[in-house]
Amino acid sequence: MTLDPGASRPRPSLTPPEFASALAQPLVAAPAAITPPSSAPAPVQIPTAASHRGRGASVWIIGILVLVLIVLVAYFLTALGPAASLIGMVLAVVPLVGVLFAVRIVDRWEPEPRGLLILAIAWGAIAAVGIALGVDLLLSMVFGPATGSREVLQTVVQAPVVEEFAKGLGVFLIFATARRAFDGPIDGIVYGALVGAGFAFTENIQYFAVSFIEGGATETTTTFFLRGILSPFAHVMFTSVTGFALGLAARRGLSTGQAIGPGLLGLAGAIALHAFWNGSAMFGDFFFLYLTLQVPLFIGFILGVVALRREESRLTRRRLGEYASAGWFTPQEVDMLATSAGRKAALAWARTLRGDRTALMKTFITDATALAATRQRAITGRDPQAAAEERDLLAKTAATRTAMFAP
């Protein structure tokens, strides 16, 4: 149909990216021609099975998570008791909800598959915590309880290395098993942030429960303020560095093996940030360093995400503009789909239509954005199933537009 990278024809010279950027994707395949639509839009089709491959969690990962979850629940109930564990869990939900809301904003432009988002949270909350607790238990059996200089090493070296490796492993598994849903840095940041959020949730249950057991409501309130109010995004920001590096690898079309190097560089950055955070709490004036270093770092992190979102917007406009040239979209629709303001205006307009057709407009926006991402994967030669997915998305967007304008 429209994407035919295997066709026999002379290969034209490849042009550099449309806009200069260190994050721009290299062109490794010639842009495919887009077939204009027929006069009558095709009816909506059920997506082919191929379009879902490489976009979901592997069953074996889910099985491992279930087994580790059983062990973790038994550990918390035995070590902390049901009452303290329940209090810790209720308090831990508060910062988790805030973090999930923030990540949802970041992921709003081109939402990732819901199953993978849940997997990311589950990996952080279950597998990564299980790995960290397992290493702690093993070291305590070999060397005894951590005291003195060994306690310092545990906080500043062991915890950052083990925890970031365990969390980063989850992001890498998503990269390796769901490659078609891992398009670039924003995707990596989203997956890394959710893994970090899941880890922080379970870790907070333990911290809050221990505080309640040892110091009652007073100590629990202090711990909640430090972890739940001042630093709910700490683990999120650390693991996002690993995700960002793997996102760059995805953007450049690297294979799973080739992405190990960039992933390790991102992991090193995550470990460094984590070690700096723990060290500032142990050796320095925490509140002074928090205001002078951690807050600026967090602001820089936010600005970086905003810049990446703008790049996604430009990419969406460019790819959908190619479909508009072939007659699938109007120039006005491309302008609407490629900006946040345009999308808000379109949703407001859809609410004025008979029967409130906001749901249809949301579907149209989501599918058109996915279509732009699909074409980008095809152009860069990193998705052999892009042609089938493109056919599905073109049919769906055409049918949704028809339904939206139906009397």
Side-chain angles (χ1 to χ4, degrees):
M1 153 71 177
T2 53
L3 299 177
D4 188 17
S8 176
R9 59 177 180 269
R11 181 172 180 175
S13 60
L14 302 180
T15 57
E18 302 82 47
F19 31 82
S21 168
L23 303 176
Q25 303 185 66
L27 291 177
V28 297
I34 301 175
T35 303
S38 59
S39 56
V44 66
Q45 301 175 9
I46 298 175
T48 60
S51 67
H52 293 288
R53 294 172 187 163
R55 296 182 62 86
S58 297
V59 175
W60 65 269
I61 298 179
I62 298 174
I64 291 174
L65 290 175
V66 171
L67 292 176
V68 178
L69 176 61
I70 294 173
V71 175
L72 280 180
V73 171
Y75 166 77
F76 275 95
L77 293 178
T78 302
L80 303 175
S85 296
L86 180 61
I87 292 173
M89 184 173 66
V90 171
L91 292 175
V93 167
V94 177
L96 176 65
V97 170
V99 170
L100 293 182
F101 178 75
V103 175
R104 176 69 182 89
I105 294 175
V106 175
D107 191 39
R108 185 179 297 171
W109 188 264
E110 187 214 346
E112 303 308 308
R114 185 172 300 177
L116 291 179
L117 300 180
I118 295 173
L119 172 64
I121 298 172
W123 181 273
I126 300 171
V129 171
I131 293 172
L133 286 176
V135 172
D136 281 343
L137 178 62
L138 179 62
L139 292 178
S140 64
M141 291 174 59
V142 175
F143 300 104
T147 56
S149 59
R150 189 169 161 263
E151 184 178 9
V152 174
L153 287 174
Q154 183 184 51
T155 302
V156 182
V157 179
Q158 176 190 322
V161 172
V162 174
E163 292 176 9
E164 293 310 319
F165 173 81
K167 291 184 291 178
L169 180 61
V171 184
F172 185 78
L173 285 176
I174 294 175
F175 178 95
T177 61
R179 185 66 180 80
R180 297 177 61 235
F182 209 125
D183 289 321
I186 283 288
D187 292 357
I189 288 174
V190 168
Y191 292 130
L194 291 178
V195 171
F199 185 93
F201 169 71
T202 305
E203 189 179 54
N204 280 339
I205 293 176
Q206 183 177 24
Y207 272 97
F208 297 154
V210 170
S211 296
F212 179 77
I213 293 172
E214 296 180 351
T218 301
E219 186 169 334
T220 304
T221 301
T222 301
T223 305
F224 178 80
F225 177 74
L226 291 174
R227 296 186 63 86
I229 304 300
L230 287 185
S231 57
F233 292 94
H235 279 289
V236 169
M237 188 167 63
F238 304 152
T239 315
S240 290
V241 176
T242 303
F244 173 79
L246 288 173
L248 282 180
R251 173 68 50 96
R252 298 183 181 281
L254 301 186
S255 65
T256 300
Q258 292 170 329
I260 293 177
L264 289 176
L265 287 177
L267 178 62
I271 292 173
L273 280 177
H274 195 157
F276 177 74
W277 175 269
N278 287 5
S280 67
M282 175 165 282
F283 300 119
D285 184 332
F286 173 77
F287 290 101
F288 175 77
L289 291 173
Y290 179 84
L291 292 174
T292 59
L293 292 175
Q294 301 294 355
V295 171
L297 277 175
F298 183 65
I299 293 174
F301 175 75
I302 294 175
L303 294 176
V305 170
V306 170
L308 290 171
R309 278 284 301 272
R310 288 181 177 177
E311 180 133 357
E312 280 197 332
S313 174
R314 291 190 294 180
L315 192 61
T316 299
R317 179 185 293 276
R318 181 65 176 179
R319 297 286 82 88
L320 292 183
E322 294 166 359
Y323 289 108
S325 299
W328 285 98
F329 298 95
T330 66
Q332 292 77 15
E333 285 174 335
V334 173
D335 290 338
M336 176 270 289
L337 292 165
T339 63
S340 296
R343 294 180 175 192
K344 290 179 181 178
L347 291 171
W349 172 76
R351 282 192 290 271
T352 66
L353 299 177
R354 187 173 64 84
D356 186 357
R357 298 179 181 180
T358 305
L360 285 171
M361 179 58 76
K362 287 182 178 179
T363 300
F364 183 69
I365 292 172
T366 299
D367 290 341
T369 307
L371 179 63
T374 299
R375 178 160 175 79
Q376 185 64 26
R377 291 198 303 272
I379 288 175
T380 54
R382 51 190 173 88
D383 186 0
Q385 301 173 31
E389 186 171 356
E390 183 198 39
R391 285 193 296 269
D392 294 330
L393 290 170
L394 284 173
K396 289 179 65 178
T397 53
T400 303
R401 182 196 289 107
T402 300
M404 207 154 25
F405 285 99

